[in-house]
Amino acid sequence: QVQLVESGGDLVQPGGSLRLSCVASGFTSGYYATGWFRQAPGKEREGVSCISASDGITYYTDSVKGRFTISRDNANNTVYLQMNSLKPEDTAVYYCAAKYHPWWNIGCPSNEANYWGQGTQVTVSS
């Protein structure tokens, strides 16, 4: 049974940093792409950043480019989202997702995800 477990969400002041982690288990191979999505109250879930299974191809939504960095440690089945220069508009529940395919389509559409984590709350406020 596939499981994705996120951690690292917190309350942080504007301009601060957080690192989210997502540990994957239950996959029979490393042949899966992963990504981070977020959903703010009253808004649709959006793809924040995603990364391919093994060749490091990444995508970032425009609003986080230059501030967020996605990475993955395949040896430990973990994907990270380093978030710097956080803004109040980054406040949301952040979800880790995985797709049983090595790549995402452009924009990492959420309907391509096969598995989801439970989410972790990120609040950016002074």
Side-chain angles (χ1 to χ4, degrees):
Q1 182 179 354
V2 171
Q3 281 192 315
L4 301 172
V5 180
E6 304 103 329
S7 61
D10 206 344
L11 169 64
V12 63
Q13 292 187 343
S17 298
L18 284 175
R19 189 176 81 157
L20 305 183
S21 301
C22 172
V23 178
S25 62
F27 285 97
T28 56
S29 73
Y31 211 59
Y32 59 94
T34 52
W36 289 96
F37 298 76
R38 65 186 179 188
Q39 188 165 21
K43 295 188 176 182
E44 292 188 355
R45 189 173 297 188
E46 67 166 338
V48 176
S49 180
C50 51
I51 188 167
S52 60
S54 60
D55 54 8
I57 296 173
T58 58
Y59 162 85
Y60 297 92
T61 193
D62 285 346
S63 62
V64 308
K65 285 180 180 177
R67 300 189 297 123
F68 290 11
T69 303
I70 191 170
S71 61
R72 62 187 284 169
D73 177 355
N74 286 341
N76 292 299
N77 299 318
T78 303
V79 61
Y80 303 98
L81 185 68
Q82 178 67 43
M83 305 186 295
N84 298 327
S85 302
L86 283 160
K87 304 176 181 180
E89 50 264 43
D90 295 317
T91 295
V93 178
Y94 283 70
Y95 297 91
C96 175
K99 173 183 178 182
Y100 240 135
H101 190 277
W103 301 285
W104 295 89
N105 282 318
I106 293 175
C108 42
S110 61
N111 61 5
E112 291 187 359
N114 300 114
Y115 306 100
W116 291 91
Q118 81 287 352
T120 186
Q121 177 70 46
V122 172
T123 303
V124 184
S125 175
S126 54

